[in-house]
Amino acid sequence: MTALADQQSTHVAPSSWESVNLTVVGMSCASCSGRVEKKLNAMDGVSASVNFATATAYVDHSPNVPVESIIAEIAASGYRVFDQNSAAPAALAEEHDAKEDDLRYRTMVSLTLAIPVLLLSMIPILQVPYWQWVAFILTTPVAFWGAWPFHRAALLNLRHRVSTMDTLVSAGVVAAWTWSTWALLFGGAGAPDYVMPMQWLVRVGHHHSGHLYFEVAAVLPVFILAGRWAESRAKHRGGDALRTLMSLGTKTALLMDGAKKATGLGGREIVIDVETLRVGDIVKVLPGEYVPIDGTILNGSSSIDASMLTGESIPVAVVEGDQVVGGTLNVDGMFTMRVDRVGADTRLAQIQAMVAAAQSGKARVQSLADRVAAWFVPMVLTLSALTAAGWFIATGTLSIAVCAGVTVLVVACPCALGLATPTALLVGTGRGAQLGVLIKGPQILEDTRLVDVIALDKTGTLTLGSMTVVAQTIAPGGDTAEVLAICSAVEATSTHPIARALATHSADAAEGQIVPEVQHVENLPGLGVRAEVHNQQVAIGRIDWIRTQFDLRGQAPQWLERHLHTANANGWPLVGVAIDGRLVAAFSFSDVINPSAGVAVDRLRAMGITPIMVTGDHRPAALAVAKAVGIREEDVFADLTPEAKLTIVSDLKNNGSVVAMLGDGVNDAAALALADLGIAMNTGSDTAINASDVTLIGSNLDAVPTSIGLARRTLRTIKQNLWWAFGYNIIMIPLAIAGYLSPLLAGAAMAASSTIVVTNSLRLRNYR
């Protein structure tokens, strides 16, 4: 794969141009997408990139070029087109589902009919009287109804004077069925006691008119249909990232109709659709709800889980005047906010656009078969015709001439080519699942053997994404057991991640202590909690709030200064505990480092891959984790937005690196999609998983180098299969032309080549 810029048209779209994304239905291979792209870029005022994997045309066009004319140009090529800006997502999904259902139905029916045809044709003992007529009846619907997608594509290609592997599949099926039907009706193969003659050479003479090849016409469509069905499912999953992003957050908002614009107070509560909000509207957000849209807090305070943007699991305190982003979670407070951005200007919409752009920039992957189809298919068709003509001139016998021509078509039939990628992928992905690695599709394998840099997110990947107490200090003279017992009781009333971590730590440390009774609990969103314990006034929360609340703004005690210094150096959040106005304890928190991270980093370096850290967390916290897992300080990039992560990946690629990306959050999705190899944690967000190429089952990071190694081995196997498939044709086609093969032997050779491909792929089961 190449950088995003390399995937776009060479045209540069002026800033005044408009953009539209079109879903193109009916492209059967990468040659189709290339043809559509070429036609669009030939239009004046149009710059287009067509992605076969996502079935989408990304088009920039002059305002003088209406979208309707662009759609008409694509439709003239024989494809159905939908404007994604006007077509409902449900309609597009329905269109895809209908196509996938059709492929599944054709595959299953064709397979059911083809199996008995194959058995009757290959096992002489089963060739009872009239068996050939049974084969004819079973094969005919497969050859025409089952293989119709290939015939339709071949006719469309013929109309545009081009050829693809569909052309060869269609020609092979039609030739095998036509020859066999002719032999059945006019060549003596229709007799009740007919048994397939086992003749191996064209040269042996007149008996060739009796050969039947219904098994070729029946089995070939099944192979290719099954591959198309699997491909359709993989392509649909490739769009899940955007569909998941579109579903984030809430669909409704609580509008404060008539509220004061300056304070957000007053007004009447009305539930409305988020899409109807306008800039300047006042909205109320309740605890536990998603922030509906981007805006500024006018009244109230809370803690916001902004992990969608930052990837960090610690909620951020927000107060009046702070900005909040749509799609983030309001943890524990209530506030009113002014709407600042709507539609495409919101942060969530911008992330959606980044993911879409990154996916469109993926290299348009096509099998080696498709890349050489431009010359291979017409070459085979021409050789078949010339072979038939040559043998007719040499022998004067039509049956021998037709037999020789059909032999060339059959021996060149792309069964092995069709199996080369899906069988290796099937075995490789199955082995990957056993090793804790889910590989999504062949498009991820093209450059993985060259990966030399891996960008690692911090929270939820190098760390486990759960908070724990890493340091505690009790004021001199304080009763540690009593303080911990109070902390355990008070923090047990909160759902805040830090409160839960402190409650767990205190409960474990104060095990055996009597749990005190807690009264008059008051949660202060974004600050902390107040409560009464044994007639003592207890406050637990942010250290700056504790010091301000209890008039501790002066010089901090020496024990606290030491604790603050250590916490600040490591980027640890700090919580203070005050009892009756006296600061009695301080606790520092940190995310738990993934125990497998260090081993994974060492293995990656041993494979020649440089690990770097990309995180939205503060640099001190990032450096502490990097030091623990073995990442160099100069390879740590912190305080990053989703756009910054995307930029780092893009810059690395533009500088010639082949980049892998490991992440788990929505903020990683665009970078995962743009990276040459995107790897997501199974414990992460659905958006990250859907945008990635590889998903790790569980939290064992040792699976990261395993996934890259397995991807390399699978790619190597696919290339071996393709070389064999083409090498087989290079050897067998000349033999067929020379008459050293009959269609029967050609069919056997084709089956043998497929068997070799499958057997080679099965070796992946032993990958370690």
Side-chain angles (χ1 to χ4, degrees), residues 614-633:
V614 290
T615 178
D617 204 357
H618 301 305
R619 186 165 182 81
L623 289 175
V625 173
K627 182 178 180 181
V629 302
I631 296 177
R632 298 176 302 184
E633 181 176 345

Side-chain angles (χ1 to χ4, degrees), residues 129-140:
Y130 297 106
W131 71 270
Q132 68 274 39
W133 291 97
V134 174
F136 167 73
I137 293 171
L138 295 177
T139 299
T140 300

Side-chain angles (χ1 to χ4, degrees), residues 179 202 208 211 213 398-408 741-743:
W179 169 261
V202 166
H208 282 284
H211 282 299
Y213 306 103
L398 180 61
S399 62
I400 291 179
V402 173
C403 181
V406 171
T407 300
V408 173
L741 297 175
S742 71

Side-chain angles (χ1 to χ4, degrees), residues 187-207:
D193 58 349
Y194 170 82
V195 176
M196 183 86 78
M198 296 294 131
Q199 298 181 9
W200 304 106
L201 305 179
V202 166
R203 298 173 180 273
V204 298
H206 64 280
H207 294 297

Side-chain angles (χ1 to χ4, degrees), residues 439-713:
I439 300 176
K440 289 188 178 179
Q443 67 273 17
I444 72 171
L445 303 173
E446 193 165 352
D447 280 337
T448 53
R449 64 188 177 88
L450 300 175
V451 167
D452 54 9
V453 176
I454 182 167
L456 304 167
D457 180 40
K458 183 181 76 69
T459 306
T461 50
L462 292 174
T463 67
L464 297 181
S466 57
M467 303 303 295
T468 186
V469 175
V470 291
Q472 73 173 39
T473 305
I474 307 298
D479 187 332
T480 300
E482 179 186 8
V483 171
L484 293 176
I486 290 174
C487 290
S488 173
V490 173
E491 294 291 65
T493 65
S494 175
T495 59
H496 194 285
I498 286 183
R500 290 198 299 267
L502 180 54
T504 300
H505 168 78
S506 300
D508 292 342
E511 187 174 0
Q513 295 287 324
I514 298 176
V515 178
E517 182 179 354
V518 179
Q519 297 176 325
H520 309 303
V521 177
E522 181 185 6
N523 282 297
L524 302 171
L527 300 175
V529 60
R530 288 197 190 102
E532 184 177 314
V533 181
H534 292 327
N535 297 319
Q536 301 177 99
Q537 299 302 314
V538 178
I540 305 175
R542 290 166 47 180
I543 192 67
D544 54 346
W545 171 70
I546 291 288
R547 296 178 67 185
T548 302
Q549 183 73 15
F550 297 103
D551 196 25
L552 300 172
R553 286 168 290 181
Q555 181 67 35
Q558 190 175 11
W559 67 268
L560 180 59
E561 287 289 358
R562 290 195 298 267
H563 195 117
L564 282 170
H565 177 75
T566 303
N568 291 335
N570 290 280
W572 295 337
L574 191 60
V575 165
V577 180
I579 299 178
D580 287 337
R582 175 175 174 266
L583 187 64
V584 298
F587 297 89
S588 294
F589 300 81
S590 178
D591 201 350
V592 179
I593 293 177
N594 192 319
S596 61
V599 174
V601 168
D602 289 343
R603 282 190 62 194
L604 289 167
R605 277 216 176 85
M607 297 171 71
I609 300 172
T610 300
I612 67 173
M613 180 191 294
V614 290
T615 178
D617 204 357
H618 301 305
R619 186 165 182 81
L623 289 175
V625 173
K627 182 178 180 181
V629 302
I631 296 177
R632 298 176 302 184
E633 181 176 345
E634 58 267 32
D635 292 330
V636 175
F637 301 87
D639 299 298
L640 300 179
T641 62
E643 293 90 343
K645 288 188 177 184
L646 183 71
T647 299
I648 287 175
V649 172
S650 178
D651 289 346
L652 286 169
K653 294 178 66 173
N654 290 336
N655 290 332
S657 294
V658 180
V659 185
M661 169 74 189
L662 172 66
D664 73 319
V666 174
N667 62 315
D668 301 317
L672 286 168
L674 181 61
D676 298 295
L677 180 67
I679 308 172
M681 306 294 292
N682 188 50
T683 53
S685 71
D686 289 342
T687 302
I689 292 171
N690 293 328
S692 66
D693 305 308
V694 170
T695 302
L696 305 185
I697 303 172
S699 59
N700 184 3
L701 293 189
D702 203 31
V704 175
T706 296
S707 68
I708 295 175
L710 178 60
R712 290 175 174 178
R713 180 69 63 83

Side-chain angles (χ1 to χ4, degrees), residues 219-243:
V219 173
L220 178 58
V222 173
F223 276 144
I224 310 301
L225 279 171
R228 292 282 169 85
W229 177 23
E231 178 184 62
S232 177
R233 296 180 64 188
K235 284 167 61 179
H236 186 61
R237 287 195 298 271
D240 284 347
L242 287 177
R243 286 187 288 274

Side-chain angles (χ1 to χ4, degrees), residues 90-330:
L92 298 177
E94 185 177 344
E95 177 74 23
H96 176 273
D97 291 343
K99 177 184 177 182
E100 187 172 315
D101 289 344
D102 179 70
L103 284 171
R104 181 177 65 250
Y105 184 59
R106 288 180 192 271
T107 301
M108 300 310 295
V109 173
S110 299
L111 176 64
T112 302
L113 298 175
I115 289 176
V117 174
L118 181 64
L119 295 176
L120 288 171
S121 302
M122 292 299 176
I123 304 177
I125 196 173
L126 298 179
Q127 295 175 359
V128 298
Y130 297 106
W131 71 270
Q132 68 274 39
W133 291 97
V134 174
F136 167 73
I137 293 171
L138 295 177
T139 299
T140 300
V142 179
F144 293 95
W145 172 81
W148 172 244
F150 313 120
H151 301 323
R152 179 185 177 279
L155 292 173
L156 182 64
N157 293 333
L158 181 63
R159 191 174 110 193
H160 293 282
R161 295 186 294 276
V162 295
S163 59
T164 66
M165 292 309 296
D166 285 328
T167 307
L168 193 54
V169 172
S170 177
V173 171
V174 171
W177 183 89
T178 302
W179 169 261
S180 300
T181 302
W182 182 87
L184 190 67
L185 298 176
F186 308 109
D193 58 349
Y194 170 82
V195 176
M196 183 86 78
M198 296 294 131
Q199 298 181 9
W200 304 106
L201 305 179
V202 166
R203 298 173 180 273
V204 298
H206 64 280
H207 294 297
H208 282 284
S209 61
H211 282 299
L212 301 177
Y213 306 103
F214 285 125
E215 76 281 3
V216 174
V219 173
L220 178 58
V222 173
F223 276 144
I224 310 301
L225 279 171
R228 292 282 169 85
W229 177 23
E231 178 184 62
S232 177
R233 296 180 64 188
K235 284 167 61 179
H236 186 61
R237 287 195 298 271
D240 284 347
L242 287 177
R243 286 187 288 274
T244 303
L245 273 173
M246 294 293 290
S247 67
L248 282 178
T250 179
K251 304 303 179 186
T252 61
L254 194 59
L255 177 68
M256 303 303 294
D257 186 35
K260 296 180 179 179
K261 298 296 184 182
T263 64
L265 298 176
R268 181 169 56 97
E269 297 180 358
I270 304 175
V271 177
I272 65 171
D273 290 338
V274 170
E275 295 177 355
T276 64
L277 287 174
R278 296 172 298 176
V279 173
D281 283 345
I282 307 299
V283 175
K284 177 184 285 187
V285 184
L286 302 176
E289 290 185 347
Y290 284 97
V291 178
I293 206 160
D294 297 6
T296 302
I297 295 179
L298 299 178
N299 184 271
S301 62
S302 185
S303 296
I304 296 293
D305 180 354
S307 58
M308 179 194 78
L309 296 176
T310 65
E312 300 312 306
S313 56
I314 304 174
V316 178
V318 291
V319 296
E320 294 176 11
D322 287 342
Q323 293 186 336
V324 289
V325 176
T328 58
L329 179 64
N330 179 26

